[in-house]
Amino acid sequence: MSKKMILDLDTGIDDTLAIAYALGSPEVELIGITGTYGNVLVEQGVRNALAVTDLFGHPEVPVYAGLPHASRKDSFEVLPVSAFIHGQNGIGDVEIPDSDRSPESGSAVDFIIDAVKTYGKDLVYVPTGPMTNIAAALAKAPEIKDEIGKIVLMGGALTVCGNVDPWQEANISQDPDAADKLFRSGAPVTMVGLDVTLQTLLTYKETATWRELGTPAGRFLADMTDYYIKAYETTAPKLGGCGLHDPLAVGVAVDPTLVDTLKINMKVDVEGPTRGRTIGDNDRLNDPVKTMQVAVGVDVPRFLNEFMTRITGLAKA
Ligand code: BDR
Ligand code: CA
């Protein structure tokens, strides 16, 4: 059986690139997208996921609306910095048609649980926004931690500082409690954080090749990603490109050899001034079983080549 993948997204420019990477990867079948909040409200992210899967020629991918806010909060508002980086509509303010599909009527959390029951070790779940949906799934069906193939998340920072403040990476900062529950659950988690995602950068040179394809998907990808690169010129002028955060998590889910990992039991600080920090769990330091891996090195040229080959191939069709 081929590997089955679920993406859990706050769609989002790099989340959209993650969808494109997954759809351009013959090794995996994208069996569904679960929506979360973060770069956008959950409704906007779901709208974007439906619209871009249509544009990429894959209207068969079901999209579920997930939980609309963090476990310890009762609402969510998009931060101005998120709108600056991803645009008001989350996809660089590029206009693409709404899908004529609706989100699935069932719950995203139940979809995740059912998929684990159906596909077991053949399922890889890739969250690239807050960890709220998977934490809720683990609370409802704790046994899925032993049944799922793996979870490859984009979030956190172990060897570098955060991007929200010195401690916190954006996805973890939205719901540190949910991420801590996931990290301590014993589920087989690979953390793909800023340690590696800020090493994989895209520039206007690559987006120009998408525009030159002359297809609607190529033009959309180029215009959307140029918006993101432009925002990075303000938020991170020294980088020289935009960080390919979410697509790198998909890349690692498809091919784990793209990164070097450290086996370590992790936790998230949930109290005090370092709330949101992703760090080794002292209480499980001497536990011989390490359930998590943290990506600390990445083969940048090989990933960028895979990224361009897969996404360009999808946009050409
Ligand atoms: C993460 O935060 C979001 O803005 C991006 O989509 C990515 O998932 C990077 O810190
Ligand atoms: Ca994201």
Side-chain angles (χ1 to χ4, degrees), residues 161-221:
C161 291
N163 56 1
V164 170
D165 62 33
W167 308 113
Q168 305 190 87
E169 180 280 330
N171 288 339
I172 304 297
S173 76
Q174 298 283 7
D175 193 346
D177 308 279
D180 187 49
K181 288 198 176 94
L182 173 63
F183 283 18
R184 292 174 192 258
S185 69
V189 174
T190 301
M191 179 179 121
V192 177
L194 300 178
D195 313 82
V196 283
T197 65
L198 285 175
Q199 297 184 49
T200 52
L201 305 171
L202 205 73
T203 70
Y204 295 121
K205 184 167 158 267
E206 287 86 24
T207 60
T209 68
W210 291 337
R211 189 170 290 104
E212 282 159 16
L213 294 172
T215 61
R219 275 193 297 273
F220 163 68
L221 282 165

Side-chain angles (χ1 to χ4, degrees), residues 23-44:
L23 292 175
S25 297
E27 302 90 336
V28 292
E29 182 191 348
L30 183 59
I31 62 160
I33 293 173
T34 49
T36 186
Y37 60 92
N39 298 325
V40 285
L41 297 177
V42 69
E43 295 81 8
Q44 182 69 36

